[in-house]
Structure formats: C-alpha cells, structure tokens
Amino acid sequence: MLYPMKKIFLAGLFLCVSIALSAQMTHGTTGLLNAPSAEMQDSKTVMIGGNYLHEKLTPDTWNYGTYNYFVNATIFPFLEIAYTATMFKAKTIGIGWFQDPEKFCNQDRYFSARLRVLKEGQFWKHMPAVVLGTSDPYTESGEGQIASADGNGYFCRFYVAATKHFLVGTERLGVSVSYVYNNRRSNHLNGIAAGVTYEPSIIPNLRVIAEYDNINFSVGASYLLFDQLHAQFQLQSLKYFTGGLCYKIHLK
C-alpha cells in the first residue's frame, strides 16, 4: 500500500518542481530550508504537506531516506503551531522478525511552535522581525525530559530568529540570522544559523535560498503556485536532494 503512495508523492513532487519551485520547511513550519527565520504566514492559514528527506538531512537514527508529513496552523498572525510525523522502517525500531525490514511501519511524531515577539519595522523602519520557536521539545522516553541528551526527541531544537527584507532596485532580498540549541548527543545544535533569500522580480513567487543551518550548508528554491500550492527542493551540503509539497488554505 505504501509503495504506490510513494510513487504518487514523487510524481507529484517532480511535476510541480518542473513547473515551479516553492517554500516549505522540512520541519513542517515556516522558515528557510532547514534553518529558522522570523517570517510568518497570514493569520488563519492552514498548511498540509509532506517531504522526502535524504538520510543526510535526518538524525543518525535514520540511515536511509524517509518521508514526513505535517499539518500547520497560524492561529493568529503572531502564533504558529505544527504537528509533524517522520516515517520509520522496521529495521530501525526492530518490530518483528517476520516483517520486511525495508518497509515503513511506524513514525516519530512531534509538535512545533513559533511565537513572533517583534514585527518587521514595528518600532523603526529597519527593525527586523523576531520569532521564538521550538520543534520536538519534549521526549517521552525514560521519564520524559525537555531537550534530553538521548531519547525520542530526534528533531529537538529551540531558537530565536531575526529576519529583515531589503529592496535592491526591483529585487527583494531577505536576511535571517538565528541561534539554535539542543543538548542532544546526536544531531546536537548549539550556535548560529543564517540564510539569504532572493526573490527575482521577473519571476513572481519564486524564491532562491542559501543557508547554513548550524550543521550543513544548503541551497534550494521554492515557489508558490496559484497562491495555494507550494513546492520546494534543496541540495543539502550542495549535493543531497530533499524536496516536498504543501497545500495552503486561507480560512475566512
């Protein structure tokens, strides 16, 4: 059942990428590629999507390419909540000798939250937006811990991000800088992440992105088609492909 779904997902992905490329974060939240930003969706925006994740993008628990899916809601213009699930194969979690170790049989689930504390240009013209955020902050393994060194919080991170946009002639540039942290032994984060976006005036809704996510350098592109369909691709470490699709719904 899962293999036809994978084929449909990849077919849709490459169809949309051939048309255009769009923004969607691999954590299921608004941001750059993997690095955080202080950009926010409009109030009452719901996003439903999924990604193919190359193994180089995931924590060490995954030594194979996998998939995730997410539901994201911007409840107010300053608050965003997301639920993301990432697929496991049987060989990773050791379920049953009779199961095919190459089949996806379970998933890791986590919540993310983003709170904008300052809006871009709120108090003076050149003031950046500032967002506080977290993904996968809590693990239920053991007795349950916040930002644990081990356990299920594979995608755990806490961050503060600032973003400022500039117009250079008719071209729009964005600069994002963030500090990300967790105390995990695997996929450890503790330092600066940053990225630059470029939106060419001749191709509306296209955004080209380059970033450092505190572990790797990546480049990619994103596109918003018909104001609802996002497609994104990226090359992690400038060579490993990851990509996904997202459908955006604007509630009244």
Side-chain angles (χ1 to χ4, degrees):
M1 184 68 182
L2 199 56
Y3 286 107
M5 290 176 62
K6 289 194 289 186
K7 291 179 181 178
I8 292 171
F9 178 86
L10 290 174
L13 170 64
F14 286 110
L15 174 61
C16 288
V17 168
S18 66
I19 297 172
L21 302 166
S22 163
Q24 166 202 338
M25 195 176 172
T26 50
H27 285 258
T29 61
T30 305
L32 300 176
L33 298 171
N34 311 316
S37 79
E39 297 169 315
M40 297 289 291
Q41 303 294 323
D42 293 333
S43 179
K44 299 180 181 179
T45 297
V46 175
M47 297 189 295
I48 302 171
N51 298 276
Y52 165 74
L53 306 176
H54 192 281
E55 65 181 89
K56 296 295 184 181
L57 184 67
T58 58
D60 294 342
T61 303
W62 286 266
N63 60 357
Y64 48 84
T66 188
Y67 301 86
N68 70 8
Y69 62 88
F70 65 86
V71 178
N72 177 302
T74 301
I75 303 171
F76 304 106
F78 55 84
L79 178 62
E80 178 180 335
I81 304 294
Y83 170 85
T84 305
T86 306
M87 304 302 293
F88 277 122
K89 287 185 178 180
K91 67 180 181 180
T92 302
I93 56 179
I95 295 181
W97 62 268
F98 55 88
Q99 294 195 25
D100 185 343
E102 292 302 316
K103 286 187 176 181
F104 292 100
C105 65
N106 207 336
Q107 53 194 335
D108 173 72
R109 308 171 184 88
Y110 65 89
F111 286 93
S112 302
R114 304 176 72 247
L115 176 67
R116 185 177 66 194
V117 294
L118 292 174
K119 187 177 181 180
E120 189 168 346
Q122 183 170 352
F123 294 115
W124 64 86
K125 179 179 179 181
H126 299 295
M127 182 178 184
V130 177
V131 161
L132 302 177
T134 182
S135 296
D136 204 6
Y138 181 83
T139 174
E140 294 181 353
S141 63
E143 297 180 355
Q145 303 175 31
I146 299 295
S148 63
D150 299 296
N152 296 349
Y154 303 110
F155 297 94
C156 177
R157 64 177 185 169
F158 299 87
Y159 59 86
V160 55
T163 297
K164 177 63 182 172
H165 293 93
F166 305 90
L167 284 177
V168 181
T170 59
E171 310 304 296
R172 190 167 187 256
L173 300 176
V175 177
S176 296
V177 179
S178 58
Y179 179 82
V180 293
Y181 170 80
N182 69 37
N183 68 352
R184 290 186 59 80
R185 291 190 179 92
S186 173
N187 198 39
H188 179 55
L189 301 170
N190 186 19
I192 299 297
V196 178
T197 62
Y198 168 55
E199 300 172 36
S201 58
I202 60 172
I203 310 177
N205 297 328
L206 173 66
R207 186 163 77 153
V208 180
I209 306 167
E211 69 168 28
Y212 171 67
D213 65 7
N214 192 241
I215 297 178
N216 296 293
F217 289 95
S218 298
V219 294
S222 65
Y223 192 84
L224 176 62
L225 187 63
F226 305 129
D227 198 34
Q228 288 185 309
L229 182 64
H230 281 281
Q232 173 197 283
F233 89 99
Q234 64 173 289
L235 295 177
Q236 173 116 11
S237 301
L238 309 183
K239 56 183 176 180
Y240 303 112
F241 174 84
T242 286
L245 296 173
C246 170
Y247 186 74
K248 180 186 288 188
I249 303 168
H250 301 283
L251 301 178
K252 294 183 180 180

